[in-house]
Structures are given as structure tokens and as C-alpha cells.
Amino acid sequence: QVQLVESGGGLVQPGGSLRLSCAASGSIFSINAMGWFRQAPGKERELVATITAGGTSNYGDSVKGRFTVSRDNAKNTVYLQMNSLKPDDTAVYYCNARIVQDIWGPLIDYWGQGTQVTVSS
């Protein structure tokens, strides 16, 4: 079994900052990409940012220049630093990790339970 545990969400004023964390634990042989997706009410889940084990990152257009994704491979943890937050960033943020559980196993997508981020004055 694999678990992804997120932390760091909350309420912040427009222009403020938040940092999300997501730690993977359990039966893990290796982790490929890790990242964040978000879903606002009435909208589809969308890409926020991903990062490979080698450190190559990819961002959704709406967050480029404001958000930074990073990871600590030794801790199986991915972070999302969110700056200059806007009301449109309000959503449930989900952690994602592509994990191999044993040397011959397939690559499997795992998801966290989600953490609410609300940007409002």
C-alpha cells in the first residue's frame, strides 16, 4: 500500500503565499513524477505543476511565474510554493505521484486526499 499525505492548505488573502507539502509512504521501489493538480467547483481537474525525479518541472499556464514545485527525493516529498495568489486559485489541490512498488512492477498513479486552498479577502 502507498499513501500520499498532503498538508499546508488554508485561507489566504489575495497576493499572499502558501506552501503545500505531500509525503509518499508505504511500499515504494521508486517514484517517477510527482506533482499537483487542482479542481475548483464546477470545473475539471487541471494540471498545476509536476516534477520528475531528475528535477525537470512542468507548469500549467495559469500558474507560471507564481508557483514553484520542488521535491526531496530522500523524503519522497513534493512541495508547491504558491505566491501572488489570486481568487481564481481557489480549489482543492491534489497531490499525485507515479510510483513503482517493486522492481518488476508497473508504474501506478496515486493520489492524495486533497487539501483546500481558499484565496479571499
Side-chain angles (χ1 to χ4, degrees):
Q1 290 288 351
V2 172
Q3 287 187 323
L4 301 183
V5 179
E6 299 146 339
S7 60
L11 172 64
V12 63
Q13 292 187 342
S17 298
L18 279 177
R19 188 187 193 217
L20 305 182
S21 300
C22 172
S25 63
S27 179
I28 297 172
F29 175 76
S30 66
I31 303 179
N32 191 334
M34 300 184 80
W36 298 90
F37 292 73
R38 67 186 183 187
Q39 188 166 18
K43 295 187 177 181
E44 293 187 353
R45 190 172 295 191
E46 65 173 358
L47 166 72
V48 177
T50 61
I51 184 167
T52 67
T56 299
S57 58
N58 181 45
Y59 295 92
D61 288 342
S62 62
V63 306
K64 286 179 181 177
R66 299 188 297 122
F67 291 11
T68 302
V69 64
S70 61
R71 66 189 277 178
D72 184 332
N73 291 330
K75 296 181 179 180
N76 290 339
T77 300
V78 63
Y79 306 95
L80 184 67
Q81 178 65 44
M82 303 185 291
N83 298 329
S84 302
L85 282 160
K86 306 174 182 179
D88 283 350
D89 295 318
T90 296
V92 177
Y93 284 69
Y94 295 93
C95 174
N96 171 262
R98 315 200 88 186
I99 293 173
V100 177
Q101 291 188 261
D102 60 71
I103 191 169
W104 303 115
L107 195 62
I108 300 175
D109 270 323
Y110 287 92
W111 294 89
Q113 79 283 0
T115 185
Q116 177 70 46
V117 172
T118 302
V119 184
S120 174
S121 55

